[in-house]
Amino acid sequence: GNERAAALFGSFSSAVALPASQIAEVAGVPFFELGALGDAVTERGFRWAFRASPRATAIAATALAGVTEVLAPGLGIPAEALKLAIAHEEAPGGQSVGAAQEAMIRARGLTLVERVAYASRAADLNAVVQRLRGLDAQVVLHTGAPGDEALLFRAFRDAHWRPRMV
C-alpha cells in the first residue's frame, strides 16, 4: 500500500539527526529529536523539526555555570583565575558544544588554555590528557560519545593527574 510515517523519532547523534531531519522536512513529516546535541538540528528554520532534549548551547551554559557558580566560589577564588580547557569529540554534537563553550568562556572573560578535538571512536585519550596536563588545565569541559568518559578517566589515571573539575 501507500504507507507513510506519521512522525519520526530519533536519533542520539547529530550526524544522523541533521540529514534525517532534512529528509523529514522535505517529506513534511514531523521529526522529533530525542538526544542529539547539535544546535543546527533545530535551528535551520525547518517547520517540521522539534527537540525533546537540551541543545548544545544549553549544555555549554550549564557547564560554565558549574564552573563560575559552584567550583570557583567553593575554592574561594575568582572564576577568571581558573585555567579552563575544552575537550570534545570531532562529531557534530561535540563540535557544537565545544564551540558554544569557547564562545561563552571568551564572552565572560575567563581563561581558556586549549580547545582540543579528538577523533570519534578514539582508542584512548592519553595524548589529549598529556596536552592538557602540560598546559596546567584546572577544569576540563568534556563532551564525547558514550564510553569516552571511561577513556578520559583512564588517561587521567595513567598520567597520575586529575584537574580540579571535569
Side-chain angles (χ1 to χ4, degrees), residues 7-47:
L8 299 173
F9 295 86
S11 66
F12 181 77
S13 166
S14 297
V16 173
L18 290 166
S21 59
Q22 189 168 354
I23 291 167
E25 183 71 15
V26 170
V29 174
F31 179 83
F32 296 93
E33 180 48 55
L34 304 177
L37 307 177
D39 289 343
V41 173
T42 52
E43 292 186 357
R44 293 174 291 172
F46 287 0
R47 180 176 176 202

Side-chain angles (χ1 to χ4, degrees), residues 83 113-114 130-138:
K83 293 180 180 180
V113 296
E114 183 74 76
Q130 288 297 342
R131 181 165 180 80
L132 299 182
R133 180 183 186 184
L135 294 167
D136 195 28
Q138 296 167 296

Side-chain angles (χ1 to χ4, degrees), residues 87-96 116-121 143-145 148:
H88 61 79
E89 180 188 24
E90 287 178 340
Q95 290 282 5
S96 191
V116 59
Y118 59 87
S120 299
R121 294 186 276 293
T143 305
D148 286 359

Side-chain angles (χ1 to χ4, degrees), residues 20-129:
S21 59
Q22 189 168 354
I23 291 167
E25 183 71 15
V26 170
V29 174
F31 179 83
F32 296 93
E33 180 48 55
L34 304 177
L37 307 177
D39 289 343
V41 173
T42 52
E43 292 186 357
R44 293 174 291 172
F46 287 0
R47 180 176 176 202
W48 297 103
F50 306 94
R51 174 184 295 284
S53 61
R55 61 192 186 104
T57 304
I59 291 168
T62 300
L64 265 290
V67 171
T68 60
E69 298 170 20
V70 178
L71 180 65
L75 294 173
I77 59 175
E80 296 79 15
L82 289 169
K83 293 180 180 180
L84 309 179
I86 298 167
H88 61 79
E89 180 188 24
E90 287 178 340
Q95 290 282 5
S96 191
V97 174
Q101 288 172 332
E102 182 174 3
M104 289 175 193
I105 287 168
R106 296 198 187 287
R108 294 178 187 192
L110 302 175
T111 303
L112 179 64
V113 296
E114 183 74 76
R115 174 177 166 199
V116 59
Y118 59 87
S120 299
R121 294 186 276 293
D124 68 66
L125 296 179
N126 293 337
V128 170
V129 165

